[in-house]
PDB file of all heavy atoms in Angstrom:
ATOM      1  N   ASP A   1      30.655   5.699  10.082  1.00 97.00           N
ATOM      2  CA  ASP A   1      30.724   6.207   8.714  1.00 97.00           C
ATOM      3  C   ASP A   1      30.145   7.618   8.641  1.00 97.00           C
ATOM      4  O   ASP A   1      30.697   8.500   7.964  1.00 97.00           O
ATOM      5  CB  ASP A   1      29.955   5.260   7.788  1.00 97.00           C
ATOM      6  CG  ASP A   1      30.143   5.599   6.325  1.00 97.00           C
ATOM      7  OD1 ASP A   1      31.303   5.787   5.896  1.00 97.00           O
ATOM      8  OD2 ASP A   1      29.140   5.677   5.594  1.00 97.00           O
ATOM      9  N   ARG A   2      29.053   7.863   9.366  1.00 97.00           N
ATOM     10  CA  ARG A   2      28.471   9.203   9.415  1.00 97.00           C
ATOM     11  C   ARG A   2      29.418  10.186  10.110  1.00 97.00           C
ATOM     12  O   ARG A   2      29.566  11.333   9.665  1.00 97.00           O
ATOM     13  CB  ARG A   2      27.139   9.164  10.154  1.00 97.00           C
ATOM     14  CG  ARG A   2      26.020   8.425   9.433  1.00 97.00           C
ATOM     15  CD  ARG A   2      24.773   8.386  10.300  1.00 97.00           C
ATOM     16  NE  ARG A   2      23.639   7.770   9.636  1.00 97.00           N
ATOM     17  CZ  ARG A   2      22.443   7.623  10.202  1.00 97.00           C
ATOM     18  NH1 ARG A   2      22.240   8.062  11.437  1.00 97.00           N
ATOM     19  NH2 ARG A   2      21.454   7.056   9.548  1.00 97.00           N
ATOM     20  N   VAL A   3      30.014   9.738  11.191  1.00 97.00           N
ATOM     21  CA  VAL A   3      30.939  10.603  11.931  1.00 97.00           C
ATOM     22  C   VAL A   3      32.130  10.968  11.047  1.00 97.00           C
ATOM     23  O   VAL A   3      32.545  12.137  10.992  1.00 97.00           O
ATOM     24  CB  VAL A   3      31.414   9.924  13.230  1.00 97.00           C
ATOM     25  CG1 VAL A   3      32.562  10.710  13.857  1.00 97.00           C
ATOM     26  CG2 VAL A   3      30.258   9.807  14.216  1.00 97.00           C
ATOM     27  N   LEU A   4      32.685   9.982  10.364  1.00 97.00           N
ATOM     28  CA  LEU A   4      33.834  10.260   9.498  1.00 97.00           C
ATOM     29  C   LEU A   4      33.463  11.255   8.408  1.00 97.00           C
ATOM     30  O   LEU A   4      34.237  12.174   8.101  1.00 97.00           O
ATOM     31  CB  LEU A   4      34.347   8.957   8.882  1.00 97.00           C
ATOM     32  CG  LEU A   4      35.536   9.096   7.935  1.00 97.00           C
ATOM     33  CD1 LEU A   4      36.728   9.732   8.633  1.00 97.00           C
ATOM     34  CD2 LEU A   4      35.927   7.731   7.362  1.00 97.00           C
ATOM     35  N   GLU A   5      32.286  11.095   7.818  1.00 97.00           N
ATOM     36  CA  GLU A   5      31.852  12.040   6.780  1.00 97.00           C
ATOM     37  C   GLU A   5      31.743  13.454   7.346  1.00 97.00           C
ATOM     38  O   GLU A   5      32.163  14.432   6.709  1.00 97.00           O
ATOM     39  CB  GLU A   5      30.510  11.596   6.209  1.00 97.00           C
ATOM     40  CG  GLU A   5      30.001  12.490   5.082  1.00 97.00           C
ATOM     41  CD  GLU A   5      28.679  12.019   4.502  1.00 97.00           C
ATOM     42  OE1 GLU A   5      28.096  11.059   5.045  1.00 97.00           O
ATOM     43  OE2 GLU A   5      28.228  12.618   3.505  1.00 97.00           O
ATOM     44  N   ALA A   6      31.187  13.565   8.563  1.00 97.00           N
ATOM     45  CA  ALA A   6      31.044  14.891   9.179  1.00 97.00           C
ATOM     46  C   ALA A   6      32.397  15.503   9.508  1.00 97.00           C
ATOM     47  O   ALA A   6      32.613  16.715   9.334  1.00 97.00           O
ATOM     48  CB  ALA A   6      30.189  14.777  10.441  1.00 97.00           C
ATOM     49  N   VAL A   7      33.328  14.691   9.974  1.00 97.00           N
ATOM     50  CA  VAL A   7      34.665  15.181  10.308  1.00 97.00           C
ATOM     51  C   VAL A   7      35.391  15.634   9.049  1.00 97.00           C
ATOM     52  O   VAL A   7      36.065  16.680   9.040  1.00 97.00           O
ATOM     53  CB  VAL A   7      35.465  14.094  11.043  1.00 97.00           C
ATOM     54  CG1 VAL A   7      36.924  14.513  11.217  1.00 97.00           C
ATOM     55  CG2 VAL A   7      34.846  13.804  12.411  1.00 97.00           C
ATOM     56  N   LEU A   8      35.251  14.893   7.977  1.00 96.00           N
ATOM     57  CA  LEU A   8      35.905  15.267   6.727  1.00 96.00           C
ATOM     58  C   LEU A   8      35.304  16.537   6.128  1.00 96.00           C
ATOM     59  O   LEU A   8      35.990  17.288   5.427  1.00 96.00           O
ATOM     60  CB  LEU A   8      35.819  14.121   5.720  1.00 96.00           C
ATOM     61  CG  LEU A   8      36.637  12.867   6.064  1.00 96.00           C
ATOM     62  CD1 LEU A   8      36.338  11.751   5.076  1.00 96.00           C
ATOM     63  CD2 LEU A   8      38.127  13.183   6.082  1.00 96.00           C
ATOM     64  N   ASP A   9      34.022  16.775   6.384  1.00 96.00           N
ATOM     65  CA  ASP A   9      33.375  17.988   5.881  1.00 96.00           C
ATOM     66  C   ASP A   9      33.741  19.225   6.703  1.00 96.00           C
ATOM     67  O   ASP A   9      33.587  20.354   6.232  1.00 96.00           O
ATOM     68  CB  ASP A   9      31.848  17.815   5.887  1.00 96.00           C
ATOM     69  CG  ASP A   9      31.363  16.917   4.766  1.00 96.00           C
ATOM     70  OD1 ASP A   9      32.128  16.701   3.806  1.00 96.00           O
ATOM     71  OD2 ASP A   9      30.215  16.427   4.848  1.00 96.00           O
ATOM     72  N   ALA A  10      34.199  19.021   7.947  1.00 94.00           N
ATOM     73  CA  ALA A  10      34.554  20.144   8.825  1.00 94.00           C
ATOM     74  C   ALA A  10      35.953  20.657   8.479  1.00 94.00           C
ATOM     75  O   ALA A  10      36.747  19.954   7.840  1.00 94.00           O
ATOM     76  CB  ALA A  10      34.502  19.687  10.280  1.00 94.00           C
ATOM     77  N   PRO A  11      36.276  21.874   8.880  1.00 94.00           N
ATOM     78  CA  PRO A  11      37.632  22.386   8.650  1.00 94.00           C
ATOM     79  C   PRO A  11      38.675  21.483   9.307  1.00 94.00           C
ATOM     80  O   PRO A  11      38.442  20.927  10.387  1.00 94.00           O
ATOM     81  CB  PRO A  11      37.601  23.772   9.317  1.00 94.00           C
ATOM     82  CG  PRO A  11      36.162  24.154   9.335  1.00 94.00           C
ATOM     83  CD  PRO A  11      35.401  22.884   9.524  1.00 94.00           C
ATOM     84  N   LEU A  12      39.808  21.323   8.660  1.00 88.00           N
ATOM     85  CA  LEU A  12      40.868  20.470   9.182  1.00 88.00           C
ATOM     86  C   LEU A  12      41.303  20.950  10.564  1.00 88.00           C
ATOM     87  O   LEU A  12      41.609  22.132  10.756  1.00 88.00           O
ATOM     88  CB  LEU A  12      42.056  20.473   8.224  1.00 88.00           C
ATOM     89  CG  LEU A  12      43.198  19.510   8.572  1.00 88.00           C
ATOM     90  CD1 LEU A  12      42.718  18.070   8.529  1.00 88.00           C
ATOM     91  CD2 LEU A  12      44.370  19.704   7.601  1.00 88.00           C
ATOM     92  N   GLY A  13      41.310  20.046  11.509  1.00 88.00           N
ATOM     93  CA  GLY A  13      41.712  20.384  12.862  1.00 88.00           C
ATOM     94  C   GLY A  13      40.597  20.939  13.719  1.00 88.00           C
ATOM     95  O   GLY A  13      40.811  21.243  14.904  1.00 88.00           O
ATOM     96  N   ASP A  14      39.399  21.079  13.139  1.00 94.00           N
ATOM     97  CA  ASP A  14      38.258  21.612  13.890  1.00 94.00           C
ATOM     98  C   ASP A  14      37.046  20.700  13.684  1.00 94.00           C
ATOM     99  O   ASP A  14      36.061  21.079  13.048  1.00 94.00           O
ATOM    100  CB  ASP A  14      37.944  23.035  13.425  1.00 94.00           C
ATOM    101  CG  ASP A  14      36.859  23.684  14.277  1.00 94.00           C
ATOM    102  OD1 ASP A  14      36.655  23.242  15.433  1.00 94.00           O
ATOM    103  OD2 ASP A  14      36.207  24.614  13.783  1.00 94.00           O
ATOM    104  N   PRO A  15      37.090  19.478  14.204  1.00 94.00           N
ATOM    105  CA  PRO A  15      36.001  18.517  13.976  1.00 94.00           C
ATOM    106  C   PRO A  15      34.724  18.956  14.694  1.00 94.00           C
ATOM    107  O   PRO A  15      34.756  19.811  15.588  1.00 94.00           O
ATOM    108  CB  PRO A  15      36.547  17.227  14.583  1.00 94.00           C
ATOM    109  CG  PRO A  15      37.513  17.671  15.629  1.00 94.00           C
ATOM    110  CD  PRO A  15      38.138  18.924  15.075  1.00 94.00           C
ATOM    111  N   PRO A  16      33.590  18.388  14.327  1.00 95.00           N
ATOM    112  CA  PRO A  16      32.338  18.720  15.017  1.00 95.00           C
ATOM    113  C   PRO A  16      32.442  18.366  16.500  1.00 95.00           C
ATOM    114  O   PRO A  16      33.182  17.449  16.879  1.00 95.00           O
ATOM    115  CB  PRO A  16      31.302  17.831  14.315  1.00 95.00           C
ATOM    116  CG  PRO A  16      31.931  17.461  13.013  1.00 95.00           C
ATOM    117  CD  PRO A  16      33.400  17.409  13.247  1.00 95.00           C
ATOM    118  N   PRO A  17      31.704  19.072  17.353  1.00 94.00           N
ATOM    119  CA  PRO A  17      31.728  18.739  18.781  1.00 94.00           C
ATOM    120  C   PRO A  17      31.099  17.374  19.033  1.00 94.00           C
ATOM    121  O   PRO A  17      30.361  16.844  18.199  1.00 94.00           O
ATOM    122  CB  PRO A  17      30.911  19.864  19.422  1.00 94.00           C
ATOM    123  CG  PRO A  17      30.037  20.375  18.322  1.00 94.00           C
ATOM    124  CD  PRO A  17      30.817  20.220  17.058  1.00 94.00           C
ATOM    125  N   TRP A  18      31.379  16.831  20.216  1.00 93.00           N
ATOM    126  CA  TRP A  18      30.880  15.503  20.551  1.00 93.00           C
ATOM    127  C   TRP A  18      29.363  15.417  20.425  1.00 93.00           C
ATOM    128  O   TRP A  18      28.819  14.418  19.949  1.00 93.00           O
ATOM    129  CB  TRP A  18      31.318  15.118  21.958  1.00 93.00           C
ATOM    130  CG  TRP A  18      30.577  13.921  22.489  1.00 93.00           C
ATOM    131  CD1 TRP A  18      29.662  13.884  23.474  1.00 93.00           C
ATOM    132  CD2 TRP A  18      30.706  12.580  22.010  1.00 93.00           C
ATOM    133  NE1 TRP A  18      29.198  12.607  23.659  1.00 93.00           N
ATOM    134  CE2 TRP A  18      29.814  11.785  22.770  1.00 93.00           C
ATOM    135  CE3 TRP A  18      31.464  11.975  21.003  1.00 93.00           C
ATOM    136  CZ2 TRP A  18      29.681  10.411  22.566  1.00 93.00           C
ATOM    137  CZ3 TRP A  18      31.331  10.607  20.795  1.00 93.00           C
ATOM    138  CH2 TRP A  18      30.450   9.831  21.568  1.00 93.00           C
ATOM    139  N   LEU A  19      28.636  16.465  20.858  1.00 91.00           N
ATOM    140  CA  LEU A  19      27.180  16.434  20.791  1.00 91.00           C
ATOM    141  C   LEU A  19      26.698  16.251  19.355  1.00 91.00           C
ATOM    142  O   LEU A  19      25.743  15.510  19.101  1.00 91.00           O
ATOM    143  CB  LEU A  19      26.604  17.729  21.373  1.00 91.00           C
ATOM    144  CG  LEU A  19      25.066  17.798  21.458  1.00 91.00           C
ATOM    145  CD1 LEU A  19      24.523  16.653  22.298  1.00 91.00           C
ATOM    146  CD2 LEU A  19      24.630  19.146  22.028  1.00 91.00           C
ATOM    147  N   ALA A  20      27.366  16.892  18.409  1.00 93.00           N
ATOM    148  CA  ALA A  20      26.983  16.744  17.001  1.00 93.00           C
ATOM    149  C   ALA A  20      27.279  15.334  16.503  1.00 93.00           C
ATOM    150  O   ALA A  20      26.487  14.752  15.744  1.00 93.00           O
ATOM    151  CB  ALA A  20      27.717  17.774  16.145  1.00 93.00           C
ATOM    152  N   MET A  21      28.403  14.764  16.913  1.00 94.00           N
ATOM    153  CA  MET A  21      28.728  13.391  16.502  1.00 94.00           C
ATOM    154  C   MET A  21      27.753  12.403  17.116  1.00 94.00           C
ATOM    155  O   MET A  21      27.338  11.435  16.473  1.00 94.00           O
ATOM    156  CB  MET A  21      30.172  13.066  16.894  1.00 94.00           C
ATOM    157  CG  MET A  21      31.210  13.811  16.072  1.00 94.00           C
ATOM    158  SD  MET A  21      32.898  13.224  16.333  1.00 94.00           S
ATOM    159  CE  MET A  21      33.290  14.014  17.899  1.00 94.00           C
ATOM    160  N   ARG A  22      27.368  12.650  18.366  1.00 93.00           N
ATOM    161  CA  ARG A  22      26.437  11.766  19.049  1.00 93.00           C
ATOM    162  C   ARG A  22      25.087  11.750  18.333  1.00 93.00           C
ATOM    163  O   ARG A  22      24.434  10.710  18.230  1.00 93.00           O
ATOM    164  CB  ARG A  22      26.277  12.232  20.496  1.00 93.00           C
ATOM    165  CG  ARG A  22      25.064  11.657  21.218  1.00 93.00           C
ATOM    166  CD  ARG A  22      24.619  12.581  22.347  1.00 93.00           C
ATOM    167  NE  ARG A  22      23.276  12.259  22.785  1.00 93.00           N
ATOM    168  CZ  ARG A  22      22.168  12.720  22.227  1.00 93.00           C
ATOM    169  NH1 ARG A  22      22.242  13.512  21.180  1.00 93.00           N
ATOM    170  NH2 ARG A  22      20.984  12.385  22.708  1.00 93.00           N
ATOM    171  N   ARG A  23      24.656  12.913  17.823  1.00 92.00           N
ATOM    172  CA  ARG A  23      23.361  12.994  17.150  1.00 92.00           C
ATOM    173  C   ARG A  23      23.314  12.191  15.858  1.00 92.00           C
ATOM    174  O   ARG A  23      22.228  11.937  15.321  1.00 92.00           O
ATOM    175  CB  ARG A  23      23.033  14.466  16.857  1.00 92.00           C
ATOM    176  CG  ARG A  23      22.616  15.261  18.083  1.00 92.00           C
ATOM    177  CD  ARG A  23      22.458  16.716  17.753  1.00 92.00           C
ATOM    178  NE  ARG A  23      22.000  17.491  18.897  1.00 92.00           N
ATOM    179  CZ  ARG A  23      22.198  18.793  19.054  1.00 92.00           C
ATOM    180  NH1 ARG A  23      22.854  19.468  18.102  1.00 92.00           N
ATOM    181  NH2 ARG A  23      21.754  19.420  20.115  1.00 92.00           N
ATOM    182  N   LEU A  24      24.453  11.820  15.334  1.00 94.00           N
ATOM    183  CA  LEU A  24      24.501  11.029  14.102  1.00 94.00           C
ATOM    184  C   LEU A  24      24.242   9.550  14.351  1.00 94.00           C
ATOM    185  O   LEU A  24      24.056   8.782  13.406  1.00 94.00           O
ATOM    186  CB  LEU A  24      25.861  11.205  13.428  1.00 94.00           C
ATOM    187  CG  LEU A  24      26.199  12.621  12.958  1.00 94.00           C
ATOM    188  CD1 LEU A  24      27.643  12.685  12.468  1.00 94.00           C
ATOM    189  CD2 LEU A  24      25.238  13.070  11.862  1.00 94.00           C
ATOM    190  N   HIS A  25      24.222   9.148  15.612  1.00 94.00           N
ATOM    191  CA  HIS A  25      24.002   7.737  15.944  1.00 94.00           C
ATOM    192  C   HIS A  25      22.570   7.339  15.580  1.00 94.00           C
ATOM    193  O   HIS A  25      21.616   8.022  15.945  1.00 94.00           O
ATOM    194  CB  HIS A  25      24.245   7.506  17.440  1.00 94.00           C
ATOM    195  CG  HIS A  25      24.403   6.076  17.801  1.00 94.00           C
ATOM    196  ND1 HIS A  25      23.340   5.203  17.881  1.00 94.00           N
ATOM    197  CD2 HIS A  25      25.500   5.339  18.110  1.00 94.00           C
ATOM    198  CE1 HIS A  25      23.770   4.009  18.230  1.00 94.00           C
ATOM    199  NE2 HIS A  25      25.079   4.062  18.371  1.00 94.00           N
ATOM    200  N   PRO A  26      22.390   6.228  14.858  1.00 92.00           N
ATOM    201  CA  PRO A  26      21.040   5.870  14.389  1.00 92.00           C
ATOM    202  C   PRO A  26      20.058   5.497  15.490  1.00 92.00           C
ATOM    203  O   PRO A  26      18.849   5.529  15.252  1.00 92.00           O
ATOM    204  CB  PRO A  26      21.293   4.678  13.455  1.00 92.00           C
ATOM    205  CG  PRO A  26      22.626   4.153  13.836  1.00 92.00           C
ATOM    206  CD  PRO A  26      23.415   5.314  14.332  1.00 92.00           C
ATOM    207  N   LEU A  27      20.541   5.141  16.686  1.00 88.00           N
ATOM    208  CA  LEU A  27      19.639   4.693  17.742  1.00 88.00           C
ATOM    209  C   LEU A  27      19.445   5.700  18.859  1.00 88.00           C
ATOM    210  O   LEU A  27      18.643   5.458  19.767  1.00 88.00           O
ATOM    211  CB  LEU A  27      20.150   3.376  18.349  1.00 88.00           C
ATOM    212  CG  LEU A  27      20.322   2.203  17.391  1.00 88.00           C
ATOM    213  CD1 LEU A  27      20.736   0.958  18.161  1.00 88.00           C
ATOM    214  CD2 LEU A  27      19.053   1.943  16.599  1.00 88.00           C
ATOM    215  N   VAL A  28      20.179   6.807  18.830  1.00 82.00           N
ATOM    216  CA  VAL A  28      20.090   7.783  19.913  1.00 82.00           C
ATOM    217  C   VAL A  28      19.052   8.838  19.559  1.00 82.00           C
ATOM    218  O   VAL A  28      19.203   9.570  18.586  1.00 82.00           O
ATOM    219  CB  VAL A  28      21.453   8.435  20.186  1.00 82.00           C
ATOM    220  CG1 VAL A  28      21.317   9.523  21.236  1.00 82.00           C
ATOM    221  CG2 VAL A  28      22.442   7.378  20.664  1.00 82.00           C
ATOM    222  N   ALA A  29      17.991   8.903  20.358  1.00 74.00           N
ATOM    223  CA  ALA A  29      16.914   9.861  20.092  1.00 74.00           C
ATOM    224  C   ALA A  29      17.335  11.261  20.506  1.00 74.00           C
ATOM    225  O   ALA A  29      18.194  11.434  21.375  1.00 74.00           O
ATOM    226  CB  ALA A  29      15.668   9.446  20.858  1.00 74.00           C
TER     227      ALA A  29
END
């Protein structure tokens, strides 16, 4: 759900990089 929100907030066709999506994970320090 966090990843989808971040992707929708990014410019169309230019989603956040994997590292940014990974940081949204609740258990990954």
Side-chain angles (χ1 to χ4, degrees):
D1 188 49
R2 292 177 176 180
V3 170
L4 179 59
E5 182 179 6
V7 172
L8 292 173
D9 285 342
L12 186 63
D14 186 22
W18 166 250
L19 184 58
M21 290 190 282
R22 164 205 164 275
R23 286 174 177 156
L24 297 173
H25 195 284
L27 302 184
V28 175

